[in-house]
Amino acid sequence: GEDVEQSLFLSVREGDSSVINCTYTDSSSTYLYWYKQEPGAGLQLLTYIFSNMDMKQDQRLTVLLNKKDKHLSLRIADTQTGDSAIYFCAGAINQAGTALIFGKGTTLSVSS
Amino acid sequence: DTGVSQDPRHKITKRGQNVTFRCDPISEHNRLYWYRQTLGQGPEFLTYFQNEAQLEKSRLLSDRFSAERPKGSFSTLEIQRTEQGDSAMYLCASSLVRGLNTEAFFGQGTRLTVV
């Protein structure tokens, strides 16, 4: 079945770029998503990419998709302390997109 | 409308008791989802509704779990005869079906602790 894997931790200094990586096993998902979760808060949709695209840029966020390698990444430029959170990549289990499968999340720690 | 609302935010119950959670989705969102998240894990899909119809259920949803969305608006998730393994954050999400994009918006969750 579908599986989504992420590295568990990333530590960067304020102002640096952060790159969070994700690999997945099933490419049936039409869209792939990045969610952010802060302590005590729900999941916040950050951005998403259509599976036919290679790249999407949204202000400080850049999503890269390599369908051949089934690899998705999220780059955060000029990382701020407020970016400290857990980041989840997610894809749909089926083409209808009615159920998402999430990775275990990458904890991003930003030090000043 | 400020987003998906879940109630209660926290629930502590004794093993064997029944609990019920409520989710109010974003207005006009026709899809509503329930997920479960345990510590150190990503959310796991439980079930989803298209309007009032429950169209998909995960194998994680045992017979002790039941979800309803009677009028196609708010939803309830009931767990009967709770077990310690049910301790988790229960997340609700909603979306407006627009083509193939399932941009789901999540609530803050209900944290269940079974003692």
Side-chain angles (χ1 to χ4, degrees):
Chain A
E2 173 73 88
D3 192 22
V4 177
E5 293 197 358
Q6 302 178 236
S7 52
L8 295 182
F9 298 101
L10 177 64
S11 182
V12 300
R13 297 183 72 88
E14 193 173 22
D16 289 349
S17 291
S18 307
V19 179
I20 301 171
N21 295 300
C22 173
T23 57
Y24 56 94
T25 56
D26 189 342
S27 53
S28 65
S29 188
T30 303
Y31 288 88
L32 293 160
Y33 304 86
W34 283 103
Y35 281 85
K36 176 183 180 182
Q37 187 174 41
E38 294 177 277
L43 288 160
Q44 174 196 352
L45 178 64
L46 280 180
T47 186
Y48 58 88
I49 186 167
F50 186 55
S51 58
N52 280 351
M53 295 171 63
D54 298 324
M55 185 184 86
K56 178 181 179 182
Q57 186 143 6
D58 185 359
Q59 299 182 339
R60 291 190 298 122
L61 305 177
T62 304
V63 180
L64 294 178
L65 175 59
N66 182 328
K67 285 197 74 174
K68 175 175 169 289
D69 294 339
K70 298 184 180 177
H71 183 264
L72 181 73
S73 68
L74 174 70
R75 179 176 179 270
I76 305 173
D78 186 25
T79 313
Q80 303 297 307
T81 53
D83 294 325
S84 294
I86 303 175
Y87 291 80
F88 294 93
C89 65
I93 293 173
N94 51 24
Q95 279 202 326
T98 51
L100 296 179
I101 181 167
F102 288 79
K104 290 186 178 182
T106 299
T107 298
L108 174 64
S109 175
V110 184
S111 57
S112 55
Chain B
D1 193 300
T2 56
V4 177
S5 176
Q6 292 188 245
D7 182 68
R9 293 290 308 280
H10 303 273
K11 178 71 177 177
I12 300 174
T13 190
K14 290 184 179 178
R15 191 175 52 184
Q17 297 294 305
N18 299 344
V19 293
T20 300
F21 311 139
R22 178 182 169 120
C23 171
D24 287 273
I26 294 172
S27 298
E28 299 176 359
H29 276 195
N30 49 6
R31 280 192 182 164
L32 186 148
Y33 313 81
W34 285 99
Y35 285 79
R36 182 178 71 184
Q37 186 179 20
T38 52
L39 200 61
Q41 302 293 318
E44 297 170 296
F45 171 76
L46 292 178
T47 188
Y48 99 95
F49 292 83
Q50 175 94 9
N51 300 313
E52 66 276 6
Q54 187 174 18
L55 296 185
E56 194 165 340
K57 289 196 286 187
S58 160
R59 284 172 294 176
L60 293 175
L61 212 65
S62 76
D63 291 345
R64 297 183 298 106
F65 288 70
S66 62
E68 292 183 345
R69 195 184 183 197
K71 297 180 182 177
S73 55
F74 74 92
S75 175
T76 57
L77 177 67
E78 181 185 16
I79 309 173
Q80 295 182 323
R81 304 181 303 282
T82 51
E83 302 172 356
Q84 285 189 321
D86 297 332
S87 295
M89 177 77 85
Y90 289 84
L91 296 167
C92 177
S94 69
S95 68
L96 179 63
V97 177
R98 194 181 297 144
L100 290 174
N101 190 353
T102 52
E103 189 175 342
F105 296 86
F106 282 80
Q108 293 185 299
T110 294
R111 183 169 294 284
L112 173 66
T113 302
V114 182
V115 298

